[in-house]
Amino acid sequence: MAKSHPKGVEEALSLVKGGLGGIADQVVPWFFANMPDYYLRTHSVTEQVQHLQAIISGRVVTDNQAVRLASPDGRKITYISPSASRDLHGILAGMLGEHIETARIYTTADGQLGLNEFLLAPQPRAGSLRTSEGDDLFSAALDAMRASGELPETDMAAFGAFLAAANAEYVEKFDPVRAARHFRLLREIGGGDDTGLLIEQCSAPTVPAVSDRPGGPGVPGAVAGGG
């Protein structure tokens, strides 16, 4: 039987907590200053904390490591890697043969980090979230669309059918402005084999000074990061 080493446990625990805590002090403010607004609006605190824990413990931005997260059912895969698009081709090559239903590609404003989420088919449909009481996420999304004024009331029945066919996460991370754009784009290309491309210009948050970025001096074992 292995011997107990309480002193060693105490010392190791203190060093681990101290090391990760020091990195967290730099990474967390940088993360919120640099991640796209859409990510921050549509991801819950629980999701953001999960990503931050992976970035900090995996030393993604401090030691240029990559992290892969998977949901219990394996239908949602998240890759977090340094230098934004550096590993994207390799990630996609590794997913050949998979049916990617949704891809969300996020890049920090300073280009130091890429956070890529992939939903693999089959995914539950948004229509399955509806309840007869109307107090569900699907109904809340329809109400949000009406309140936004993005679509006329005459389009709401068609939009409801469009929304019901989307996957459940589309409703969970619902944004009426983006959803209206997607709805209009789908109507423009019709029911044929055409592919629509919509490039949305996003405003970037203020980028912290280089000395404030994770990976700069002061992070144990860090490699200075470039923008």
Side-chain angles (χ1 to χ4, degrees):
M1 180 182 290
K3 292 182 180 179
S4 175
H5 298 280
K7 187 175 179 183
V9 170
E10 256 181 63
E11 184 179 2
L13 185 59
S14 175
L15 288 171
V16 169
K17 283 182 175 179
L20 294 181
I23 296 173
D25 287 342
Q26 290 200 28
V27 169
V28 174
W30 164 84
F31 183 83
F32 281 95
N34 280 273
M35 284 300 285
D37 178 64
Y38 179 72
Y39 168 89
L40 297 173
R41 281 190 289 109
T42 58
H43 286 69
S44 67
V45 172
T46 300
E47 290 173 308
Q48 293 171 15
V49 168
Q50 182 187 37
H51 293 158
L52 278 165
Q53 287 173 334
I55 292 166
I56 293 165
S57 62
R59 292 180 176 267
V60 176
V61 291
T62 53
D63 285 0
N64 290 322
Q65 305 294 327
V67 174
R68 178 185 184 274
L69 306 174
S71 61
D73 64 0
R75 309 316 296 166
K76 180 176 182 178
I77 309 294
T78 303
Y79 291 92
I80 308 175
S81 57
S83 303
S85 61
R86 188 186 71 180
D87 298 321
L88 187 54
H89 289 165
I91 289 169
L92 293 173
M95 300 183 74
L96 286 175
E98 294 284 3
H99 179 184
I100 300 174
E101 227 180 72
T102 299
R104 288 190 290 267
I105 313 299
Y106 302 105
T107 302
T108 54
D110 61 4
Q112 282 203 101
L113 182 82
L115 194 157
N116 309 310
E117 297 177 315
F118 300 94
L119 300 184
L120 307 181
Q123 291 287 322
R125 298 296 96 191
S128 67
L129 301 175
R130 281 186 287 196
T131 64
S132 57
E133 291 81 13
D135 57 352
D136 52 89
L137 286 175
F138 185 88
S139 301
L142 291 179
D143 291 342
M145 180 57 78
R146 283 193 173 93
S148 73
E150 287 291 326
L151 295 175
E153 185 60 35
T154 52
D155 281 347
M156 287 305 299
F159 177 76
F162 158 83
L163 193 61
N167 61 45
E169 245 200 45
Y170 190 82
V171 169
E172 291 166 7
K173 300 186 185 307
F174 188 72
D175 182 302
V177 175
R178 290 172 66 87
R181 288 175 184 167
H182 298 162
F183 174 67
R184 293 189 194 104
L185 184 62
L186 188 63
R187 284 205 306 192
E188 285 175 14
I189 63 175
D193 295 328
D194 291 342
T195 299
L197 175 63
L198 176 63
I199 299 176
E200 301 175 31
Q201 189 65 42
C202 300
S203 57
T206 302
V207 181
V210 172
S211 60
D212 293 335
R213 297 181 191 173
V219 178
V223 177

